């Protein structure tokens, strides 16, 4: 009957897992009996068969086999869960060996009948812990309960994480990883609370400790909370919108994304800047698209003294106005802004309404147009001229 239980569980696991085996699976291992499912099915079938045959046949074999299967199931569960949760940890190997020794030792003590006597003696060993009395048996039971709860929490979180990350694209992989880590943290916290409660520890004693942790997290995550609140404020009042051309901390770019913690700016050169939302709330932000999409640009050119500006300025205005991207209204303007050391300084100003198509390319086109006009009209562009006087040779000594 016992061999039939083992063979049935082996066949069920073989049919269930199929030919494609996932090495990281907790329930199925590289071999049929290497996972957790085989000892659990064998244990359930053995317990059921023992109840069916109770009173008809001597059950000494089942009295030995069931503790062995319990120990094997506990060992396989611990090994597979810890291996899936912490695949690269060397401490896990030590824990696995410790659990194996404890499980097999407990099985031997149970079969030989020593375990009940040992538990009675441990129950008599008591001491005062605060206002309550704790025995060695209750402490060991609490530790075992904590281990079982934590292993179940890790098993559930590993299964959820593998399901979330399976087949995820690169664009939402980070979100799925965040969700998996959050679920694991919540499950471990709940498992720890249940383990402490099972160990007989009053959870109200942790209120002071929890308050201290909350205060520390509040101070440590102050900037992070400020960025999240600023993100909600920006999204609610719509002071900045996706597509706006802004300048923040000497970085000019177009807003491509607004998240709850940060905003992404993309410059015309292709570089992107990740700006915390708190900086967009507390510092000055130049928005070129908030009220008007038109943008004014300017360039400076020098002409020689004696140039007929009354003739030159209208022709420069006409040449710049003829460019396709330069707006006719407001009309481009040319101003005499300074009497420089080498010539007359003229500032040319014009407007455009499509800054998203680039500003440097239009500035270069305007400069080339002005240069061609000055060359055609024969207007001199002055440049600094310096006179270098060489010192005379020293007189030869007699």
């Amino acid at each position: 009957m016992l061999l039939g239980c083992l063979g049935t569980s082996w066949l069920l696991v073989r049919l269930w897992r199929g030919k494609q085996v996932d090495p990281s699976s907790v329930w199925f291992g590289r071999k049929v009996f290497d996972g957790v499912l085989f000892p659990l099915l064998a244990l359930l079938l053995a317990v059921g068969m023992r109840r069916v045959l109770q009173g008809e046949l001597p059950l000494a074999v089942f009295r030995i086999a069931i503790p062995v299967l319990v120990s094997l199931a506990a060992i396989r569960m611990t090994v597979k869960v810890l291996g899936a949760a912490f695949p690269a940890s060397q401490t896990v190997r030590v824990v696995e060996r410790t659990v194996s020794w404890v499980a097999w030792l407990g099985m031997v003590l149970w079969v030989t009948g020593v375990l009940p006597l040992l538990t009675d003696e441990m129950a008599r060993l008591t001491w005062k812990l605060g206002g309550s009395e704790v025995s060695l048996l209750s402490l060991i039971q609490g530790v075992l309960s904590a281990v079982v709860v934590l292993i179940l929490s890790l098993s559930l979180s590993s299964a959820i994480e593998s399901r979330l990350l399976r087949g995820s694209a690169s664009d939402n992989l980070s979100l799925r990883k965040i969700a998996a880590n959050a679920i694991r943290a919540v499950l471990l916290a709940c498992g720890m609370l249940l383990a402490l409660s099972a160990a007989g520890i009053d959870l109200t004693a942790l209120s002071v400790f929890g308050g201290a942790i909350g205060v520390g997290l509040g101070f440590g995550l102050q900037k992070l909370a400020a960025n999240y609140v600023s993100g909600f404020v920006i999204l609610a009042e719509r002071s900045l919108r996706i597509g706006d051309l802004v300048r923040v901390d000497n970085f000019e770019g177009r807003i491509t994304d607004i998240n709850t913690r940060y905003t992404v700016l993309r410059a015309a050169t292709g570089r992107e800047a990740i700006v915390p939302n708190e900086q967009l709330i507390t510092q000055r932000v130049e928005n070129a698209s908030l009220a008007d999409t038109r943008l004014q640009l300017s360039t400076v050119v020098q002409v020689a003294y004696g140039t007929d500006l009354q003739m030159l300025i209208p022709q420069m205005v006409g040449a710049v106005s003829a460019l396709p991207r330069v707006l006719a209204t407001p009309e481009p303007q040319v101003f005499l802004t300074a009497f420089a050391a080498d010539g007359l300084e003229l500032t040319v100003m014009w407007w455009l309404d499509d800054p998203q198509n680039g500003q440097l390319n239009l500035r270069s086109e305007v400069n080339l147009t002005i240069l061609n006009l000055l060359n055609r009209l024969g207007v001199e562009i002055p440049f600094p001229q310096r006179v270098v006087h060489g010192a005379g040779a020293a007189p030869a000594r007699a």
Side-chain angles (χ1 to χ4, degrees):
M1 291 297 178
L2 179 61
L3 291 177
C5 294
L6 296 176
T8 303
S9 61
W10 183 88
L11 182 61
L12 290 176
V13 174
R14 176 74 179 230
L15 294 176
W16 194 351
R17 76 167 189 165
K19 296 181 179 180
Q20 300 295 332
V21 181
D22 185 8
S24 61
S25 175
V26 176
W27 299 104
F28 307 101
R30 297 182 181 274
K31 300 179 182 179
V32 176
F33 52 84
D34 194 29
V36 181
L37 190 59
F38 172 73
L40 286 180
L41 286 177
L43 178 61
L44 293 177
L45 292 176
V47 171
M49 188 62 65
R50 179 183 178 181
R51 289 187 176 275
V52 171
L53 299 178
Q54 192 171 6
E56 298 182 7
L57 293 176
L59 303 178
V61 176
F62 283 98
R63 291 192 184 97
I64 299 176
I66 290 178
V68 171
L69 291 176
V70 170
S71 301
L72 183 61
I75 293 171
R76 298 314 306 163
M77 175 66 78
T78 305
V79 170
K80 298 297 290 184
V81 170
L82 293 180
F86 311 100
S89 178
Q90 296 296 330
T91 309
V92 173
R93 307 294 181 264
V94 179
V95 175
E96 291 174 359
R97 296 190 187 95
T98 304
V99 171
S100 300
W101 281 102
V102 171
W104 290 122
L105 181 60
M107 183 272 299
V108 172
L109 293 178
W110 176 265
V111 171
T112 56
V114 179
L115 187 60
L117 301 176
L118 187 60
T119 54
D120 292 339
E121 293 297 328
M122 288 189 296
R124 294 190 180 97
L125 296 175
T126 60
W127 63 88
K128 286 287 185 178
L129 185 61
S132 59
E133 186 175 345
V134 180
S135 64
L136 181 59
L137 179 62
S138 63
L139 183 61
I140 294 177
Q141 289 176 348
V143 171
L144 293 178
S145 301
V147 171
V148 171
V149 171
L150 291 179
I151 288 176
L152 293 178
S153 301
L154 286 174
S155 175
L156 184 58
S157 63
S158 299
I160 294 175
E161 181 178 0
S162 62
R163 182 63 61 89
L164 285 175
L165 299 180
R166 184 181 304 167
S168 58
S170 58
D171 54 349
N172 59 356
L173 180 60
S174 298
L175 295 178
R176 290 175 177 246
K177 188 64 177 178
I178 291 172
N181 291 336
I183 292 174
R184 170 176 290 190
V186 171
L187 289 176
L188 287 178
C190 295
M192 183 63 69
L193 293 178
L194 292 176
L196 292 176
S197 178
I201 298 176
D202 190 6
L203 297 182
T204 57
L206 302 177
S207 58
V208 178
F209 183 68
I213 293 179
V215 172
L217 290 177
F219 281 107
L221 302 179
Q222 184 178 3
K223 287 290 184 181
L224 184 61
N227 287 323
Y228 274 100
V229 173
S230 301
F232 285 112
V233 171
I234 292 174
L235 293 174
E237 67 182 12
R238 296 181 60 83
S239 58
L240 297 175
R241 297 163 297 183
I242 295 179
D244 288 354
L245 182 64
V246 298
R247 178 187 292 271
V248 181
D249 196 17
N250 294 327
F251 186 89
E252 182 176 350
R254 187 165 299 278
I255 298 177
T256 59
D257 193 10
I258 300 177
N259 293 312
T260 54
R261 190 186 66 84
Y262 62 88
T263 298
V264 180
L265 302 183
R266 182 178 180 84
T269 58
R271 298 175 60 191
E272 288 188 345
I274 298 177
V275 183
N277 289 328
E278 183 189 12
Q279 189 173 354
L280 300 176
I281 294 294
T282 58
Q283 296 187 8
R284 188 187 71 176
V285 179
E286 299 179 11
N287 192 339
S289 307
L290 184 59
D292 194 352
T293 58
R294 296 180 301 177
L295 188 65
Q296 185 188 66
L297 298 179
S298 63
T299 187
V300 178
V301 63
Q302 284 190 4
V303 296
Y305 282 101
T307 303
D308 188 1
L309 298 184
Q310 301 297 329
M311 177 273 301
L312 179 61
I313 290 178
Q315 295 197 30
M316 293 179 64
V317 172
V320 175
S321 301
L323 296 176
R325 292 182 58 193
V326 175
L327 295 180
T329 305
E331 185 182 13
Q333 294 177 313
V334 180
F335 300 96
L336 176 60
T337 54
F339 297 97
D342 302 309
L344 301 173
E345 185 176 281
L346 301 178
T347 301
V348 184
M349 304 179 66
W350 70 93
W351 294 80
L352 75 157
D353 61 353
D354 56 347
Q356 69 276 6
N357 295 328
Q359 304 174 29
L360 190 60
N361 52 359
L362 181 57
R363 188 187 300 273
S364 175
E365 189 175 356
V366 170
N367 289 335
L368 289 175
T369 301
I370 295 175
L371 180 61
N372 293 332
L373 176 64
L374 296 180
N375 290 334
R376 188 173 67 251
L377 296 178
V379 177
E380 180 185 357
I381 300 178
F383 55 89
Q385 298 183 14
R386 301 291 182 263
V387 178
V388 180
H389 297 280
R397 293 183 179 180

